[in-house]
Amino acid sequence: MTRSEDREANAMASEHHILLSDPAWAGPTAYRTSGIDTIMNLGRRLETDPGAFAFELRVDSKALDPAAFAPLDWHDPRGGQPLFSERMATVLEQAGVANIDYYPVRVRYQPTGAEVNYRLANVIGLISALDTAASEVTADDDGFIFDIASMRLDPSKCRGLDLFRLKEMPNLMIVSLALKRVLEGSGLTGFRVIEDHEWQPGMI
């Protein structure tokens, strides 16, 4: 690939970006304290009401001043149950993002014991948007991709959605360039947005 072709490929890829959880070293980290193991990273609507959930935002015990590590706008607990703050949910709604199902949740901020307002978020949309020809992947005989060493997205496969999960790696959320600009200009916390070619194994 020539340098100009590489620039063109990167320009196309930049139409969609990868949204990554990015807490401070001490957190807070969200731990589920009540509720079932319903996975919400499959990009599809739940068939039944999952019931009540509760989480606790815990700061690392090594932090000298735990209260200095405030609750974030996005927490991505293990188990595929992301928490969006009310502020983040509002920003997304005002940006026209409608493919999220929200569920009520009680969240306690451990350093102060205060309850903080969040929604449990299930992003609807699981799209196979990987450009496999331009990515480094390992697949089985049936074509199932089980390892991605480097990644390029194919904008033509993104179906015009501003936010969705990547089918080849459902833990990853993908955002459009327009939504990237909204999120980065909103002052929201707890995440960073990278281009597809910046992604490396181990980032999630």
Side-chain angles (χ1 to χ4, degrees):
M1 179 181 288
T2 67
R3 186 173 298 177
S4 62
E5 288 173 333
D6 186 61
R7 283 198 300 267
E8 183 178 348
N10 285 340
M12 288 188 64
S14 67
E15 293 180 22
H16 284 79
H17 294 69
I18 298 168
L19 183 66
L20 294 174
S21 178
D22 190 30
W25 71 268
T29 302
Y31 292 88
R32 190 179 71 247
T33 56
S34 178
I36 60 178
D37 290 329
T38 300
I39 297 175
M40 297 187 186
N41 67 351
L42 301 178
R44 59 173 180 257
R45 289 193 159 86
L46 303 182
E47 295 180 358
T48 59
D49 186 339
F53 287 88
F55 285 79
E56 186 173 67
L57 304 182
R58 301 174 185 171
V59 174
D60 192 294
S61 60
K62 296 183 181 65
L64 297 178
D65 181 9
F69 297 88
L72 304 171
D73 290 298
W74 177 30
H75 290 279
D76 197 19
R78 291 183 178 181
Q81 296 174 333
L83 300 173
F84 290 178
S85 69
E86 286 290 344
R87 192 163 70 110
M88 183 165 182
T90 298
V91 167
L92 291 171
E93 289 167 358
Q94 291 176 344
V97 177
N99 58 318
I100 305 177
D101 286 349
Y102 290 109
Y103 297 90
V105 61
R106 295 185 65 181
V107 179
R108 176 181 175 272
Y109 178 52
Q110 182 194 46
T112 65
E115 287 201 5
V116 282
N117 293 325
Y118 283 86
R119 301 186 199 178
L120 196 61
N122 183 19
V123 175
I124 308 303
L126 187 68
I127 298 178
S128 179
L130 196 67
D131 184 340
T132 54
S135 305
E136 295 180 54
V137 303
T138 304
D140 61 21
D141 293 338
D142 296 322
F144 175 78
I145 295 172
F146 57 86
D147 185 65
I148 303 176
S150 69
M151 184 182 302
R152 294 293 188 277
L153 301 173
D154 184 344
S156 68
K157 297 180 180 179
C158 294
R159 305 180 190 175
L161 288 175
D162 286 314
L163 176 66
F164 61 89
R165 289 190 177 276
L166 184 65
K167 185 175 182 179
E168 291 83 1
M169 189 173 286
N171 283 338
L172 284 185
M173 291 188 199
I174 308 301
V175 298
S176 67
L177 177 59
L179 185 56
K180 169 186 182 292
R181 289 169 173 164
V182 169
L183 291 174
E184 291 183 337
S186 66
L188 295 171
T189 60
F191 64 87
R192 62 186 170 122
V193 185
I194 64 170
E195 294 195 29
D196 54 0
H197 62 87
E198 296 178 301
W199 183 85
Q200 297 177 12
M203 283 187 165
I204 58 172

